[in-house]
Amino acid sequence: MTMRVLTLGLLLTTTACSMTPKLTLPTPPVAATYPVEIDGEAVPEWQAMFADARLQTLITLALSENRDLRMAALNAEAARAQIRVQRAQGLPSVNLDTAYTRQRQPVGVARAGGGLNTGDAAGASFGQVTVQAALTNFEIDLFGRLRAQNAAATERYLASREGQRAVRLTVIGAVADTYLAERLAEEQLQLTEATLAEWQASLTLARQLHDAGQSSGLDLAQAEGQVRQAQADVAQRQRERQQATNGLVAAVGAPIPADLPPPISLGAQPIRTALAAYTPSDLLTRRPDIMQAEHELSAANADIGAARAAFFPRLSLTGAFGFASAALQTLFQSGNQSWSYAPAVSVPIFRGGELKATLDLSRIRTSIAVANYEKTIQTAFREVSDGLAARATFSTQRTAQSEAVQQAERRLALARLAYRAGVTSRLELLDAQRTVYAARQTMLSVRHAELTSATALYRALGGAS
């Protein structure tokens, strides 16, 4: 009875001690404000951020087919299962065991062992039926080792959940980026093909003037070289378009459906670019990668507690209660009860430095987790700052480039009239044509960069909560 009372008292004190140090998150190693502060609209859900119906269809498909996202979900489920495994180690393990044994002893051994005189002259035979419920090596967590392991498993599960959110946000951004790259490649190809057709018409005119003796062979050679260059550019743009399509298929994780909504040009893309930035402190609770790093830090800190607790004694309990009888029909009679009770204490004496090394390793891993947490915050701060800087300048750049295109087109129109009138040389017209071509290509690139920077800012802000 005294032992039972003692064990009950120990059980009641299982939550009295913890070796896990208190975790204090480091001060974010970034400035309190961004270098550029711009007001704007709140970060919307991705459906509102990317209002292009074609792009929405592709993102929806990617969220169900992308393999990175699928693996992240499976990793989260695996971490969740690990929590159940870890918690089960802190609960009693009870087994129901049944057995039947029968043996024969020589008559001399039987009489010496207990005076059995049943059986024939050569010996005695007897049987036994047992049924018992057994509690095996149940550890009483006096110093919080199991609780620290449970806490670490829980934090790693939460980290995997945040990792799943981070991958989901990355997939959305990757599909948007590859879609915009595919749109850019397609529109660049269309521009190059239109330019080639225009330059081929100019070459036809140059041949006519040359045949009529109104232009030199130099003008004709320049026109032919210009057409050949445009043909080479078309081949390059075709290759880039196919490669962009391949990248889009890889980002989605499935073949592109044939019945997608019609595409929207880069110039008319409804992607929101006027996003408002959260403060650096707000990013700590909005960015899934920062939350993931924080949970990983908490898990590493809990590992320190488990490593510390391993230095102290472990108290375990093994017990059994059941019935034993020589006959099955009398097994459950009150006089056939049997029980055993065996508490045990294990004190580490010599482990070859394993416990100290494990504790040191836990502390080092916690320091690594702190550095990773701080680095993740710094990366987030930079990404948001870059996004805000892009947003502050792209509008001005796009307006200026649009005006540059208009001026180049005006110059080309004047150069074409002057060339046909014989006022200027073919070289002036050639230069004007190339200037328009380059300005239009640059305009497409600027608009593409503006849209991709808006997508990057959306990811940097952690998407919608």
Side-chain angles (χ1 to χ4, degrees), residues 107-255:
V107 63
V109 175
R111 290 175 178 174
L116 294 177
N117 54 10
T118 60
D120 52 31
S125 62
F126 55 92
Q128 185 179 34
V129 180
T130 60
V131 174
Q132 66 176 6
L135 175 70
T136 307
N137 292 327
F138 169 52
E139 181 178 347
I140 300 173
D141 195 21
L142 292 178
F143 299 100
R145 186 182 71 89
L146 296 179
R147 279 179 285 124
Q149 292 178 342
N150 289 342
T154 300
E155 291 296 336
R156 289 192 171 94
Y157 164 66
L158 295 175
S160 67
R161 287 290 302 273
E162 295 298 333
Q164 183 180 0
R165 284 183 55 214
V167 172
R168 185 175 186 272
L169 185 60
T170 299
V171 167
I172 292 173
V175 173
D177 285 343
T178 53
Y179 174 74
L180 292 173
E182 189 259 353
R183 287 290 87 219
L184 174 63
E186 176 63 29
E187 293 186 30
Q188 284 179 331
L189 175 59
Q190 293 174 0
L191 173 60
T192 304
E193 289 175 338
T195 300
L196 173 60
E198 180 181 347
W199 289 359
Q200 284 175 333
S202 181
L203 174 60
T204 300
L205 176 60
R207 284 174 177 167
Q208 292 173 350
L209 293 176
H210 179 267
D211 294 342
Q214 298 180 12
S215 66
S216 66
L218 178 60
D219 289 348
L220 180 60
Q222 289 174 341
E224 289 177 343
Q226 190 178 35
V227 169
R228 299 299 175 261
Q229 183 60 56
Q231 290 173 338
D233 289 348
V234 167
Q236 177 184 346
R237 299 306 182 187
Q238 289 174 337
R239 180 176 63 254
E240 292 174 349
R241 181 186 62 178
Q242 185 57 55
Q243 291 174 343
T245 301
N246 296 339
L248 182 59
V249 172
V252 172

Side-chain angles (χ1 to χ4, degrees), residues 143 145 307-315 345-352 354-356:
F143 299 100
R145 186 182 71 89
R308 283 178 172 178
F311 284 87
F312 293 86
R314 296 186 188 180
L315 175 62
V345 177
S346 174
V347 181
I349 300 298
F350 177 75
R351 298 281 292 274
E354 176 188 356
L355 298 180
K356 178 64 167 58

Side-chain angles (χ1 to χ4, degrees), residues 55-121:
L55 177 55
Q56 287 183 349
T57 303
L58 293 173
I59 292 177
T60 301
L61 181 61
L63 293 178
S64 64
E65 297 294 335
N66 185 272
R67 300 309 185 271
D68 290 335
L69 186 56
R70 189 174 300 178
M71 287 188 293
L74 292 174
N75 287 335
E77 289 301 316
R80 183 178 181 182
Q82 183 61 38
I83 293 179
R84 298 197 298 270
V85 172
Q86 190 62 51
R87 288 178 178 174
Q89 296 181 4
L91 300 176
S93 176
V94 180
N95 299 321
L96 180 63
D97 299 325
T98 63
Y100 172 73
T101 60
R102 188 166 186 82
Q103 57 182 318
R104 178 183 177 82
Q105 297 286 353
V107 63
V109 175
R111 290 175 178 174
L116 294 177
N117 54 10
T118 60
D120 52 31

Side-chain angles (χ1 to χ4, degrees), residues 249-390:
V249 172
V252 172
I256 304 301
D259 57 345
L260 289 175
I264 299 177
S265 67
L266 290 176
Q269 270 293 326
I271 294 178
R272 300 188 183 184
T273 58
L275 298 179
Y278 301 103
T279 64
S281 60
D282 288 336
L283 284 182
L284 302 183
T285 58
R286 296 191 60 86
R287 287 261 306 211
D289 56 344
I290 295 179
M291 295 296 296
Q292 180 182 11
E294 181 179 336
H295 287 303
E296 289 173 349
L297 174 57
S298 298
N301 186 69
D303 287 337
I304 294 179
R308 283 178 172 178
F311 284 87
F312 293 86
R314 296 186 188 180
L315 175 62
S316 60
L317 177 64
T318 299
F321 176 81
F323 297 86
S325 173
L328 180 60
Q329 58 270 24
T330 60
L331 177 62
F332 295 104
Q333 293 180 0
S334 60
N336 293 331
Q337 292 182 358
S338 64
W339 60 270
S340 64
Y341 186 75
V345 177
S346 174
V347 181
I349 300 298
F350 177 75
R351 298 281 292 274
E354 176 188 356
L355 298 180
K356 178 64 167 58
T358 301
L359 179 58
D360 291 342
L361 179 60
S362 299
R363 287 170 173 166
I364 293 172
R365 286 175 173 169
T366 300
S367 298
I368 293 173
V370 169
N372 180 63
Y373 177 71
E374 293 176 335
K375 180 181 178 181
T376 304
I377 294 175
Q378 290 176 332
T379 300
F381 182 85
R382 177 184 176 180
E383 290 176 349
V384 174
S385 298
D386 288 348
L388 292 176

